[in-house]
Amino acid sequence: MANSDELLLRRQRVLGRNSPLFYETPLHLVRGEGAWVYDADGRAYLDVYNNVPCVGHCNPRVVEAISRQAATLNLHTRYLDENLVRYAEQLTARFDAPLDAVTLTCSGTEANELALRVARAISGGYGIIVSDNSYHGNSTILAGLASSFPGGEAFPAFARAVRVPDPAHDRQGRSDAELAAAFAAQVQDAVDSLAADGIRVAALLIDSFFANEGLPDRVPGYVEQAVEIVRRAGGLYICDEVQSGFARTGDAMWGHQLTGVTPDIVTLGKPMGNGFPLAGLVTRREWIERFGQTSRYFNTFAGNPVAAAAGMAVLDEIDRLDLLRNSRETGAHVRAGLERLAQKHPLIANVRGRGLFFGVEFIRADGTPAAEETTRVVNRMRENGVLLSRIGRRGNMLKMRPPLVFSSADADHLLSALDTVLGGL
Ligand code: PMP
């Protein structure tokens, strides 16, 4: 096996130096199982970062479904294929009315791009409203909209960005209702500002769980009011569930179900194929058909028989392993443990998140965001055999989002390592 230092040099030679890698000393992983991964020296790491292998790294049933179908037939979707139809039936059955049809893609980016096109076709508008610390993909338009992960594209003239409320920082003595109204007013300002430029709003594109924004606690009424404003202006609500979908939030299969509003379009990705490239959007059949009257959407690899087999196996495993319950119960165990650590370690300013998705914000005694300390914790956790990362607009939050098969023993391992690392800072 290639030595890790040599592999890094070879990688830089053929991928360039800016191809992103985690950690000061990159990690060379060679194998995974359940919530654990193993490096080239055989060292085990608890994976508290990767949501893509949601039903576990190398889940045997998903591997078997992919292998069996790959050995049988793999083609595009312009022939009749029972796998595709069965998967679409099983997926849409998990959504509330009127969301009853799906178009599959290969990435979250493609799903969001298509969602914007459908929203423009259905609404007749052109403007897009996003949050000001979001990420929805790497295409030209989506990279331009991204501020949490700048893509070097200019923010488009047909878009506006609004700030979403983070009660830990924005409350200033206000009630939930006041906070929701104050921040929803920014959405009305965005609609009006687009209109002043002669642009009608086509879509509000947000992740209702606000994963890339740093998982702020939900402000009841905010999403509801924001959507109401956009719909009143003729636009659609696209909910990006690339991160919050598939039982991640513990209390519901879909993140939007934690709010009081059903989206017009839901976009999906990351965990959908447990690592096999599978993503898509779910909306009303009537709209997909109306969009199809004027626009042909074809995507060579999307929804092929192998992708559909992977998607079905993932849904089956979520049910068989009762991962929604595990996300809720093990998630509650992690959250309680993190809150205990917050009592002990003053650097922890607040704990956020639910299900198996958490943030921990670090703020110094003088009130400044502890970004350097956050990086140090991420690196020390790795040295202690636990993988996690950072989020938030100030880079001072730990991001924890393990495979959904995370056990309570895994949770205790995480909490104990974090306690040790924070104690040694
Ligand atoms: N939406 C959200 C919320 C994401 O976090 C991401 C990826 N981080 C995407 C969309 C883009 O998905 P992909 O990388 O599959 O294109």
Side-chain angles (χ1 to χ4, degrees):
M1 194 181 301
N3 158 298
S4 301
D5 295 337
E6 179 213 328
L7 191 60
L8 176 62
L9 284 174
R10 280 169 52 202
R11 173 182 163 118
Q12 289 173 342
R13 222 173 284 138
V14 285
L15 303 186
R17 288 176 174 278
N18 295 324
S19 171
L21 273 170
F22 283 151
Y23 299 112
E24 287 152 4
T25 312
L27 189 55
H28 178 189
L29 296 176
V30 295
R31 189 169 73 77
E33 185 178 353
W36 291 79
V37 287
Y38 301 84
D39 74 8
D41 298 323
R43 177 155 190 213
Y45 296 85
L46 178 62
D47 184 358
V48 189
Y49 178 74
N50 289 290
N51 58 340
V52 169
C54 67
V55 297
H57 285 277
C58 307
N59 177 296
R61 293 186 184 219
V62 178
V63 171
E64 154 74 12
I66 290 172
S67 314
R68 199 173 345 105
Q69 187 56 48
T72 308
L73 178 71
N74 196 17
L75 267 176
H76 56 81
T77 51
R78 289 171 296 191
Y79 303 99
L80 276 179
D81 167 41
E82 192 174 347
N83 277 355
L84 171 64
V85 176
R86 277 176 47 217
Y87 180 54
E89 287 168 351
Q90 290 173 18
L91 184 68
T92 54
R94 291 167 191 259
F95 283 85
D96 300 324
L99 302 171
D100 59 358
V102 59
T103 300
L104 295 174
T105 64
C106 303
S107 68
T109 298
E110 291 176 349
N112 282 321
E113 273 286 330
L114 179 61
L116 292 176
R117 289 175 62 192
V118 172
R120 283 175 169 171
I122 298 303
S123 68
Y126 200 70
I128 297 162
I129 300 172
V130 290
S131 113
D132 71 351
N133 197 55
S134 61
Y135 178 77
H136 298 287
N138 56 26
S139 63
T140 307
I141 289 181
L142 295 170
L145 295 172
S147 24
S148 78
F149 203 98
E153 299 290 337
F155 191 80
F158 54 73
R160 298 291 183 274
V162 295
R163 194 162 185 131
V164 301
D166 182 342
H169 295 284
D170 300 324
R171 189 165 293 281
Q172 293 167 356
R174 290 177 284 190
S175 67
D176 280 347
E178 288 164 341
L179 208 51
F183 281 78
Q186 289 188 25
V187 178
Q188 185 63 58
D189 291 345
V191 168
D192 295 344
S193 159
L194 286 167
D197 285 350
I199 300 168
R200 260 205 303 131
V201 66
L204 172 71
L205 168 60
I206 52 167
D207 160 6
S208 60
F209 196 58
F210 301 119
N212 292 315
E213 288 82 349
L215 311 168
D217 282 347
R218 191 171 99 76
V219 178
Y222 169 69
V223 170
E224 293 87 329
Q225 285 177 47
V227 170
E228 165 68 24
I229 288 164
V230 168
R231 284 185 175 155
R232 216 184 308 126
L236 271 57
Y237 166 31
I238 303 169
C239 186
D240 179 335
E241 297 243 13
V242 166
Q243 296 218 36
S244 65
F246 294 96
R248 177 57 50 186
T249 63
D251 286 319
M253 185 70 170
W254 313 114
H256 71 259
Q257 291 169 325
L258 305 177
T259 69
V261 51
T262 301
D264 298 304
I265 303 176
V266 176
T267 57
L268 304 169
K270 285 193 186 280
M272 199 167 176
N274 212 48
F276 195 93
L278 176 60
L281 67 74
V282 175
T283 185
R284 305 172 188 211
R285 176 161 71 102
E286 175 202 340
W287 287 355
I288 285 183
E289 288 179 347
R290 212 189 314 158
F291 173 71
Q293 284 164 8
T294 51
S295 314
R296 179 154 303 222
Y297 185 77
F298 174 64
N299 187 328
T300 301
F301 303 119
N304 69 35
V306 179
M312 277 189 282
V314 167
L315 291 177
D316 286 348
E317 285 294 81
I318 288 175
D319 291 346
R320 189 181 70 86
L321 301 170
D322 206 358
L323 293 180
L324 181 57
R325 185 185 53 77
N326 190 56
S327 177
R328 181 170 61 249
E329 293 180 1
T330 306
H333 179 63
V334 176
R335 172 121 196 182
L338 292 173
E339 278 162 8
R340 273 196 308 278
L341 291 182
Q343 299 299 315
K344 185 169 166 190
H345 301 284
L347 193 63
I348 300 183
N350 57 71
V351 174
R352 39 200 51 229
R354 61 197 294 167
L356 280 167
F357 203 159
F358 303 100
V360 169
E361 182 165 28
F362 293 140
I363 296 185
R364 299 185 191 112
D366 66 2
T368 55
E372 294 79 22
E373 291 87 334
T374 308
T375 303
R376 218 178 308 144
V377 170
V378 170
N379 281 293
R380 297 250 173 101
M381 286 296 279
R382 174 258 175 99
E383 288 158 17
N384 280 269
V386 178
L387 308 184
L388 37 72
S389 186
R390 307 192 316 170
I391 33 170
R393 65 178 79 235
R394 301 185 295 178
N396 64 329
M397 282 182 212
L398 290 185
K399 172 182 186 180
M400 292 174 271
R401 194 191 46 176
L404 297 178
V405 292
F406 206 65
S407 67
S408 53
D410 295 332
D412 291 338
H413 187 96
L414 159 69
L415 293 165
S416 149
L418 192 53
D419 191 19
T420 305
V421 165
L422 288 171
L425 270 193

